Amino acid sequence: MIGKQIKGTGFRGCLNYVLGKKDAALIGGTMCGQTPEELAAEFAIARQLRPNLKVAVFHATLSVASTEKLEDSEENDQRWLAIAAGYMKTMGFDNNQYTVVKHSDTKHDHIHIVASRIRLDGSVVDDSWDYYKSQETIRQLEQDYNLKIVAPSWEKDKRAQTTGEHRNLQSKGNKSVRVQLQDLIDEVTQDNPTMPEFVERLQQQGPEVQVRLTRTGFSKGISYNLDGVALSGTQLGKAYTFSGLQKHRGVSYDQQQDNALIEALMQPQHLAIAPSEAEENELESSQFELVAGAAATPATANELELSQFELAASAPATLATTANKLELSQSELETTAPATPATANELELQLSILPERNETQWQKVRSHLAVEYSLPLELLEKLHSHSWLYAGLEKAVFTARTLDGEARFAFVLDELGNFTTTHPLSSEAAFWVATTGEIERAVIACNPIEALSILLIEQENNQDNSAITPPTIYLGIERASQLPIQLLQELDSVIIAIAEDYMLARNASELLPNAELVNPQSSWNDIWIQLIEQEQQDIQQNNQPYKQRIQDIELD
């Protein structure tokens, strides 16, 4: 049996998802409600016991092997309810509200458990180490209910315990250093951190970490030290080597942008261990090994929901920012951090300086974006007026902001169409634009051009079909860690529309398992350009009037 768990802030969105699936069946739990509205209201009553607790939602998924797909029957439902009750009790939810919903839309028979972390006595379930606790609970449930053991994929890449380690655990209950390190690494990589974030998190848990260049000067080796016992990544298993962390644990790494942060984190370390020859050989494999092709059903722009095209600097009550906040002076943005940063957070301040503005080049940059990417001049001027887009040394600079409007770093587009970022470590900061109103929907793309192209495509379809869609935020990201997870978990609809970057789409979907994946055959900008070319042909052939796309744009 495989189990996954995530925590969030909004019950309604989670309930809409689990009960909105085809063939979803509410089979039991500790609650009376039968609909998302009724259950959300019931959860809200207990939530009043801890009104200041933001992360109150616990959402777990339990699924059996495909060979054990169970038929729909009352007996099967009771079996699932018993499994759910055993799981929740062991996880510490022995006095909590929860509901159990069974899905039959995949080859793996599975249930969703939506629970409140708030106990009915007002206390809160401790969520520390819940990932490891969940795996131990599942192994016990497999024995209790004679279920086939289905180890998660990451366990296959873990170096197994030796006979001595297993014997010591059974007789004395002591975990070896190897197992402790494996468990710690599994815990801190749950949300697909960047490599500097991973190193810093592990250091905070106690182990020393050493990252070293191999003789190629490109790939890197990694080793760990806990309680005086030093182990290389290879000794823990291939999922714990430098490349394995990226391939099997979703840790992202950018050599050019992460190295300074990693080196800063290494400063207080004194770990005298060099990677083994076997590790070096393994780590020096091509980076192309990390990229897998995404074989998905192609989608066109028409598969996306339509949207109004009224850009807004904020969504009332959700995105609290104004144009005044965004129009910061360059001197305010160029505040530097201490010269010798001790942590990644301190170095983050130093690296978050935006590229210098060069207004004399704006007309050239604007023309380049209009010609090469078919972005309307009116839209470009609106973005420029709010400092979300400007010219820097003949290159287009798109600012990445938090939801509060604080500029953290920038996407820089060169004349060859390549994006680089000035600082990729800032969490929950992305290039984004939003339609007016309180945000109900999000579309995630892999860079600013893609995000704007999707917005334009949806506006085009909206004009053609006269559809009305809820206010939407369009985000361009480079790393999944830049996503505003808390906001996205509360939205009714989240679409991951990342084209041509399988790893980024996978990392985003793991953080947002309820999101819809849309995989076009080409980039969204290519699709937008095709729409423009088709319209131009129609205008010439049929003497149709030109569409006014950028009308009634409002930026608060």
Side-chain angles (χ1 to χ4, degrees):
M1 186 164 61
I2 295 177
K4 298 180 180 179
Q5 67 282 335
I6 58 175
K7 289 172 283 292
T9 59
F11 285 101
R12 182 62 183 275
C14 186
L15 292 166
N16 284 341
Y17 168 75
V18 299
L19 287 170
K21 283 282 189 176
K22 183 180 179 181
D23 298 328
L26 194 157
I27 61 175
T30 62
M31 305 176 71
C32 299
Q34 298 294 309
T35 67
E37 295 84 358
E38 294 171 348
L39 290 166
E42 201 171 336
F43 276 122
I45 296 173
R47 196 164 193 173
Q48 294 176 6
L49 297 172
R50 295 297 293 266
N52 295 326
L53 180 67
K54 293 184 178 180
V55 184
V57 182
F58 178 83
H59 177 197
T61 305
L62 302 177
S63 60
V64 296
S66 58
T67 55
E68 294 181 302
K69 184 172 176 61
L70 307 176
E71 299 297 330
D72 292 328
S73 68
E74 183 176 348
E75 182 180 352
N76 177 44
D77 289 350
Q78 293 304 314
R79 187 186 188 199
W80 268 124
L81 285 175
I83 291 173
Y87 179 83
M88 295 301 284
K89 181 178 180 180
T90 307
M91 293 293 290
F93 292 80
D94 52 357
N95 189 23
N96 299 67
Q97 298 170 308
Y98 71 86
T99 188
V100 184
V101 178
K102 185 171 70 174
H103 284 183
S104 304
D105 58 336
T106 69
K107 64 180 181 179
H108 295 274
D109 202 17
H110 64 283
I111 60 170
H112 290 260
I113 305 172
V114 181
S116 172
R117 293 182 58 223
I118 304 170
R119 291 192 178 94
L120 297 180
D121 61 4
S123 61
V124 179
V125 176
D126 182 13
D127 63 352
S128 60
W129 298 102
D130 60 351
Y131 185 73
Y132 182 68
K133 187 190 302 181
S134 176
Q135 294 305 313
E136 289 187 326
T137 301
I138 287 172
R139 298 290 87 81
Q140 185 60 50
L141 289 171
E142 287 171 338
Q143 295 181 26
D144 295 344
Y145 291 91
N146 194 30
L147 296 172
K148 181 179 179 180
I149 297 176
V150 183
S153 59
W154 55 264
E155 284 193 349
K156 299 175 183 177
D157 305 304
K158 176 186 292 188
R159 182 67 63 87
Q161 297 183 55
T162 65
T163 302
E165 288 173 333
H166 182 73
R167 186 184 301 115
N168 192 41
L169 178 62
Q170 293 296 319
S171 61
K172 299 180 181 180
N174 297 328
K175 293 181 182 178
S176 68
V177 170
R178 182 205 306 270
V179 175
Q180 291 181 60
L181 283 169
Q182 290 170 336
D183 293 343
L184 282 169
I185 294 170
D186 293 342
E187 182 70 19
V188 302
T189 56
Q190 287 187 59
D191 59 346
N192 307 110
T194 63
M195 191 63 71
E197 288 173 333
F198 163 73
V199 172
E200 186 175 25
R201 289 178 186 180
L202 202 58
Q203 288 175 340
Q204 291 171 352
Q205 295 290 340
E208 296 179 356
V209 185
Q210 187 69 22
V211 179
R212 298 180 181 275
L213 281 168
T214 63
R215 59 177 174 268
T216 64
F218 181 73
S219 296
K220 295 197 171 199
I222 191 166
S223 53
Y224 314 90
N225 190 317
L226 179 62
D227 297 334
V229 179
L231 295 170
S232 68
T234 301
Q235 290 172 310
L236 297 183
K238 66 180 182 179
Y240 304 91
T241 63
F242 196 82
S243 61
L245 289 167
Q246 299 169 67
K247 184 175 182 180
H248 302 288
R249 292 291 183 275
V251 178
S252 60
Y253 169 64
D254 185 294
Q255 181 188 15
Q256 182 178 0
Q257 296 167 335
D258 287 349
N259 283 359
L261 291 171
I262 293 173
E263 289 174 3
L265 290 167
M266 294 299 101
Q267 293 303 314
Q269 300 289 320
H270 301 282
L271 184 59
I273 177 173
S276 65
E277 184 71 18
E279 182 181 18
E280 287 195 346
N281 291 337
E282 179 179 341
L283 293 174
E284 287 168 9
S285 59
S286 170
Q287 293 293 328
F288 292 108
E289 222 176 73
L290 302 176
V291 182
T297 303
T300 66
N302 292 332
E303 294 182 48
L304 288 173
E305 295 182 63
L306 307 177
S307 170
Q308 297 173 340
F309 187 61
E310 294 180 353
L311 293 180
S314 65
T318 303
L319 304 177
T321 181
T322 64
N324 291 334
K325 288 184 181 180
L326 297 176
E327 295 173 353
L328 302 175
S329 68
Q330 190 65 21
S331 60
E332 289 175 317
L333 292 173
E334 294 182 351
T335 302
T336 58
T340 308
T343 67
N345 289 334
E346 293 176 13
L347 189 58
E348 175 178 348
L349 297 176
Q350 184 178 355
L351 297 179
S352 62
I353 301 172
L354 297 183
E356 184 177 354
R357 299 174 69 101
N358 187 344
E359 287 302 316
T360 62
Q361 295 295 321
W362 167 241
Q363 295 301 321
K364 179 178 180 180
V365 167
R366 188 189 71 159
S367 298
H368 176 72
L369 293 173
V371 172
E372 293 297 326
Y373 303 98
S374 293
L375 299 180
L377 292 175
E378 300 93 327
L379 173 60
L380 297 175
E381 287 294 347
K382 287 291 183 179
L383 297 174
H384 182 248
S385 68
H386 284 78
S387 298
W388 299 347
L389 167 64
Y390 63 89
L393 298 178
E394 301 185 5
K395 296 181 179 179
V397 178
F398 296 83
T399 57
R401 301 163 288 135
T402 66
L403 295 183
D404 291 327
E406 180 183 355
R408 290 287 185 86
F409 65 96
F411 291 84
V412 181
L413 178 66
D414 64 25
E415 294 183 353
L416 298 178
N418 299 315
F419 271 105
T420 57
T421 55
T422 58
H423 181 55
L425 188 57
S426 295
S427 60
E428 300 192 354
F431 172 85
W432 60 268
V433 292
T435 54
T436 53
E438 185 172 351
I439 297 302
E440 299 177 24
R441 175 176 175 266
V443 180
I444 302 167
C446 62
N447 61 55
I449 294 291
E450 289 288 274
L452 294 173
S453 297
I454 296 174
L455 184 149
L456 290 165
I457 291 168
E458 293 196 325
Q459 186 265 343
E460 176 83 4
N461 291 334
N462 187 53
Q463 287 187 350
D464 290 342
N465 299 300
S466 300
I468 299 176
T469 56
T472 299
I473 181 171
Y474 299 84
L475 302 109
I477 63 170
E478 183 194 41
R479 298 165 183 253
S481 60
Q482 295 164 350
L483 290 170
I485 298 299
Q486 182 173 333
L487 167 69
L488 297 177
Q489 289 177 339
E490 294 178 348
L491 298 182
D492 294 333
S493 174
V494 177
I495 299 172
I496 299 174
I498 296 174
E500 301 176 335
D501 193 333
Y502 167 75
M503 290 295 292
L504 181 58
R506 191 199 70 175
N507 291 342
S509 63
E510 288 180 354
L511 289 178
L512 300 166
N514 298 340
E516 177 186 355
L517 284 170
V518 177
N519 300 295
Q521 287 180 303
S522 60
S523 75
W524 293 106
N525 188 248
D526 287 343
I527 295 173
W528 167 243
I529 292 173
Q530 291 171 10
L531 287 176
I532 293 296
E533 291 176 347
Q534 183 61 52
E535 179 188 317
Q536 291 174 346
Q537 292 178 7
D538 293 340
I539 291 173
Q540 294 175 356
Q541 294 175 2
N542 305 319
N543 197 28
Q544 294 180 353
Y546 178 76
K547 292 181 181 178
Q548 180 63 36
R549 291 187 175 79
I550 313 303
Q551 54 186 354
D552 300 326
I553 301 178
E554 297 180 4
L555 292 173
D556 299 334

